Amino acid sequence: MITSQFQYHKASSIEDAIQKLQNEEDAKLLAGGHSLLPMMKLRFAEPPYLIDINDIPELQGIDLQGDTIRIGAMTTENELIASEILQQHCPLLVEAAKLVADPQVRNRGTIGGDIVHGDPGNDHPAVMLALDANFIIQGPDGKREQPANGFFLGTYWNEIAEDEILVAIEVKAQKDNQGFGYHKLKRKTGDYAVAGSPVMLTLDGDKCSDIRIGLTNVAPMAIRATEAENLLKGQEIDSALIEKAAEQVIAACEPAEDLRGSSEYKSHMAAEMVRRSIQDALQRARS
Amino acid sequence: MDNANDANNAPEQDDPIKGVGCARKRKEDARFIQGKGNYVDDIKMPGMLFADMVRSPYAHARIKSINKEKALALPGVHAVLTADDLKPLNLHWMPTLAGDVQAVLADEKVHFQYQEVAVVVADNRYIAADAIELVEVEYEELPVLVDAHKAMDDDAPILREDLVGKMDGAHSKRVHDNHIFNWQAGDKDATDRVFEQAEVTVKQDMYYPRVHPSPLETCGCVASFDKVNEHLTVYITSQAPHVVRTVVSMLSGIPESKVRIVSPDIGGGFGNKVGVYPGYVVSIVASIVLGVPVKWVENRMEHLSTTAFARDYHMTGEIAADSDGRIKALRVNVLADHGAFDACADPSKFPAGLMHICTGSYDVPVAHLNVDGVYTNKAPGGVAYRCSFRVTEAVYVIERTMDVLAQKLGIDKAEIRRRNFIKAEQFPYQTALGWEIDSGDYHTALEKVLEACDYEGLRREQQEKREKGELMGIGLVTFTEIVGAGPTRNCDILGVGMFDSAEIRVHPTGSVIARMGTITQGQGHQTTYAQIIASELGIPSDEISIEEGDTDTAPYGLGTYGSRSTPVGGAATAVAARKIRAKAQKIAAHLLEVSEQDLEWDVDRFKVKGVPGQEKTMKEIAWAAYNDRPEGMEPGLEAVDYYDPPNFTYPFGTYLCVVDIDKYTGVTKVRRFYALDDCGTRINPMIIEGQIHGGLNEGFAVAMGQELPFDEQGNILGNTLMDYFIPTFVETPKWETDYTVTPSPHHPIGAKGVAESPHVGSIPTFTSAIVDAFSHLGTTHLDMPHNAFRLWQHIRELGLDKRTG
Ligand SMILES: Cc1cc2nc3c(=O)[nH]c(=O)nc-3n(C[C@H](O)[C@H](O)[C@H](O)COP(=O)(O)OP(=O)(O)OC[C@H]3O[C@@H](n4cnc5c(N)ncnc54)[C@H](O)[C@@H]3O)c2cc1C
């Protein structure tokens, strides 16, 4: 439970951090530390150099410009929960953050770290897929934009280079004809999801004009239940259709078996979370 | 007996003495809530070094070589010790408390994953952690045995090569190299005959999984050997410091008078801190060799993986009954998985502990219990957890089997218990397996709970829910415990009888210091012992200091586990106090110039009968004890008592639980949990309440989530708090508590143990409730843990999760 030796540098700016990433071999960024440090204590990870990005102002803050919300990568879970902007314009993110880990972890853990870390059990990646988020990423050659869709490639494997930093996340403010649902099944406080599902649904009259279904911890990385989405899009959603979609969800899952349950159980729980999230989303979009 | 009488719930401000019955706040709390406790890891000594363990990645393997060179070359490393280094001292193996031996450091072979292979001693724990990675151990893997049911197969791998050919086990003949003991109680032939002729028989297999109490503080010690005076001091997380002193002296050859064991504040024990662990032994050896203090404190994974686990009992309960459900005979078979070394800490005559209390609260005419213990490639232990020597398993098997009987006969669970209870007038009651239950009043407790919870109403509601396809379960348990080990005629550990002791000294100004052979780990002894003395001597409990855990000062005692402190240590305390009061009476008579018989005791003073105003308070008497005493009486006012209890005490209770199960996820919601306990005289109702809440929480944890499973290679799974279920207040149900008071007739103040009852009693209550949710579909039993995954599998087997669409 004691890390191997490492050096520590507190970065003063994004540029400083990127420079260190380039110059120091196998250096790692240190955000909230709640994924990285446990791995280091178990000596699963032994980075020789840590670059602390906690004091970089450009990575902080939540603001609303037009219908776009910009969230600094270093925003902690508790800041997400407390944000009035998010409560009003992106309640899915607030509800999701509330179910991450436990109060201690939420005090330090950041949305950026949660997205980039690459653990399929992390909750924000699927939320980002459901929200159709956009990532602002900065590297030695400057800033680039990267949609969440296509970012998550596998376990500990994302569309981001070793010398790049996730600077901010951009999501669209929720509209009146939209509704969200979020259900996460976990064994206890502080546990990762057995399965989780964020859903964003847009209604056009009685018909579902758009739906995005994210799935947590049922594949090597966060995924979307695309087949299920296609089934529901353009339709008037009823329980029979939800059942058909649930079957597609089960087919889309390929979870690893562990003490949380068998692969069969997790797939069925993903479907159950989707059912409940769709119901909630429908209800919210209608009201 | 009468219940809820107010004398048993005296608020603090109404009782100047704050004696027995007063719900006073704990004296301990002031330091704990200010972070001023003093735990083993708080102890820092000049020049202290740190030990860390190299542990086996394999469950069963031969050690081909150990290369320490690289570790020794790391600056700050002082020593790397292996079994070969301990051999010349004959300390590479040590005796267990169960008559077996255990490797201190793996000797040629490892027998379980995470077994201690070498110890590194370094300047600090950071260097030690780096150095253990540099110790190179070459292993040759051996076939692994994890399934206890296969342990005695002809082709099972032999685990304990050191025991091959030694077929006279510590407790019985061994019939296989992996066999530890066979142990039986009761009358087999008579029991079998009843079963052959019975109108009804039921049989239920059940597995009580391997769990671990995982107290907040892990195990550790600081060993400090003073080379000049040849004096060894060990600060240690021990529930039995005096026994540890005896063991250390026997192993090291240092006279017991030169060994000082101190249990400082202990952050929870639950039986996990009864045994002697390799970490303690190697720290002591390292301190003796290096001449400086050595600290060893394990981390959570080491703690969960290697120190005393609990349970791992494969049980079969059988009842023979008549068609009215009246029990005619009980038969219990157990296959006990003890891991790689038999390191249980039971009274030595009882290798399955007090499992033979498994006749429960019922009038069972004849019974037979058969237990076989076997070795597997798992960590040793079996001492824990919040349980008086396997009484948890005993209660589980009888309560589960009673439910199965009720179900088979279509008789309600409450009714089957009513019909079979030992009746109040039958006490003292001799059980078929050899115990004398001193007292009880089971019917009253049951009826009180059924009424409080509107049992009939719950059953009606359940019927309605069932018709709608919803899963609601009602659990009911009426348990009897056996605690307070124990009478020295049948209880000893390593040959030392299981008495306990108290030494009370009244100072001239009338305040008191008292020391006991027990050791508190959260039970609040500093409060409750003081309350006992307060009531006996009329001295306010605030002026009574209680000290335990330092073997240089405290009288010898067997320690705190198995709910023995109040039944044994508390009894010693009351008796010692009474010796003081008897002397005080003589002094009072002398001061008042009357005869002893003319005096009567009134709260805190002796009064001359019928002469108002003629009286001496305890404070006055204490002063006189040091200057104005009767001719020929020795000065001072103190007493010691070593108390050998005439019998165990038998706390009991009725617990009721209501659950709702989500049939689409398997998630259980505990809607209601009602716990009625009878622990006899209630010393401090607030502490009792706290202990019951704690025990219920741990019972909930065991029933609903805790387990330490192993894969086929013997890798332990779930040994971190990510997986191991420690419920927070988010998960924990709301507890409702209640009580009746049936004093123990043989205990000086009528008290019994209480802190383990809620654990022992609640676990089968949860199972009873869960099974009850499915019982209309033919389910008779489901093994723990009742987590959502396991329940969902059952729901799916029954086809209950189908959606109509
Ligand atoms: C007990 C416990 C329970 C948990 N339960 C959950 C849960 O239920 N759901 C959940 O989602 N998470 C859970 N977590 C993880 C937690 O939310 C972490 O905080 C989160 O995964 C990582 O965020 P962090 O800020 O702590 O990142 P760190 O641990 O500091 O970093 C994680 C990784 O991301 C990299 N990184 C961090 N920030 C950036 C950035 N801006 N740009 C590029 N790379 C970056 C780091 O270099 C590192 O490799 C749990 C953690 C614990 C300890």
Side-chain angles (χ1 to χ4, degrees), chain A residues 1-2 5 42-43 185 187-189 191-192 239 243 259-262 264-265 268-269 272 275-276, chain B residues 125-126 130 133 299 301 662 664-665 667 718 721-724 728 730-731 788-789 792 796 803:
Chain A
M1 291 301 144
I2 290 173
Q5 296 208 15
L42 290 165
R43 300 199 176 200
L185 181 67
R187 296 173 298 178
K188 55 173 180 174
T189 307
D191 193 18
Y192 291 88
S239 39
E243 277 321 291
L259 292 181
R260 291 186 186 86
S262 63
E264 188 199 15
Y265 176 61
H268 278 80
M269 289 310 102
E272 186 61 25
R275 282 188 188 102
R276 293 176 188 196
Chain B
R125 45 174 61 126
Y126 307 97
D130 288 340
E133 305 239 305
N299 66 35
M301 276 174 80
D662 180 334
Y664 301 115
T665 59
V667 171
L721 296 188
M722 180 51 76
D723 285 309
Y724 199 70
T728 68
V730 175
E731 291 80 22
F789 171 44
W792 180 82
R796 207 160 159 74
R803 295 225 181 218

Side-chain angles (χ1 to χ4, degrees), chain B residues 172-251:
Chain B
S172 75
K173 286 256 179 278
R174 303 196 306 134
V175 299
H176 185 287
D177 284 316
N178 295 330
H179 188 220
I180 309 173
F181 64 84
N182 173 269
W183 187 68
Q184 304 190 19
D187 187 335
K188 181 172 190 320
D189 293 341
T191 305
D192 290 349
R193 276 199 302 279
V194 175
F195 267 89
E196 277 157 28
Q197 290 154 16
E199 288 172 18
V200 184
T201 62
V202 290
K203 178 174 182 176
Q204 183 65 55
D205 292 326
M206 58 196 84
Y207 173 53
Y208 205 137
R210 178 175 276 238
V211 292
H212 194 289
S214 194
L216 261 181
E217 179 199 33
T218 61
C219 298
C221 72
V222 179
S224 173
F225 186 66
D226 171 352
K227 280 199 167 174
V228 176
N229 298 303
E230 296 182 323
H231 198 294
L232 175 70
T233 302
V234 188
Y235 296 89
I236 191 167
T237 48
S238 177
Q239 298 176 236
H242 301 272
V243 181
V244 170
R245 187 183 68 190
T246 303
V247 172
V248 167
S249 172
M250 280 164 32
L251 287 180

Side-chain angles (χ1 to χ4, degrees), chain B residues 17-63:
Chain B
I17 298 271
K18 295 184 194 162
V20 170
C22 175
R24 62 157 298 163
K25 288 189 184 124
R26 297 198 312 174
K27 294 174 155 206
E28 291 86 343
D29 290 344
R31 70 176 186 280
F32 290 144
I33 62 178
Q34 295 180 66
K36 295 279 177 356
N38 185 37
Y39 297 91
V40 165
D41 206 18
D42 292 322
I43 288 160
K44 296 181 177 71
M45 300 180 88
M48 184 171 79
L49 303 179
F50 289 78
D52 204 346
M53 291 286 186
V54 177
R55 296 180 179 277
S56 170
Y58 300 110
H60 197 197
R62 213 168 289 291
I63 298 175

Side-chain angles (χ1 to χ4, degrees), chain A residues 120 155 187 193-195 217-220 253-268, chain B residues 707 709-712 717-718 723 789-790 792-793:
Chain A
T155 304
R187 296 173 298 178
V194 172
N217 221 7
V218 285
C253 295
E254 36 172 343
E257 182 172 324
D258 58 21
L259 292 181
R260 291 186 186 86
S262 63
S263 150
E264 188 199 15
Y265 176 61
K266 291 178 172 187
S267 306
H268 278 80
Chain B
E707 68 176 322
F710 291 77
D711 69 13
E712 280 179 8
L717 310 173
D723 285 309
F789 171 44
R790 293 170 61 93
W792 180 82
Q793 288 171 290

Side-chain angles (χ1 to χ4, degrees), chain B residues 679-699:
Chain B
C679 61
T681 303
R682 292 158 59 85
I683 299 167
N684 182 325
M686 190 195 287
I687 287 187
I688 291 173
E689 182 92 346
Q691 291 294 318
I692 289 175
H693 279 206
L696 292 174
N697 283 359
E698 285 188 328

Side-chain angles (χ1 to χ4, degrees), chain B residues 362 395-403 417 476-478 764:
Chain B
Y362 313 108
V395 167
Y396 195 81
V397 75
I398 182 67
E399 289 300 308
R400 288 304 310 125
T401 313
M402 285 299 280
D403 276 11
R417 286 171 165 82
L476 183 71
V477 154
T478 51

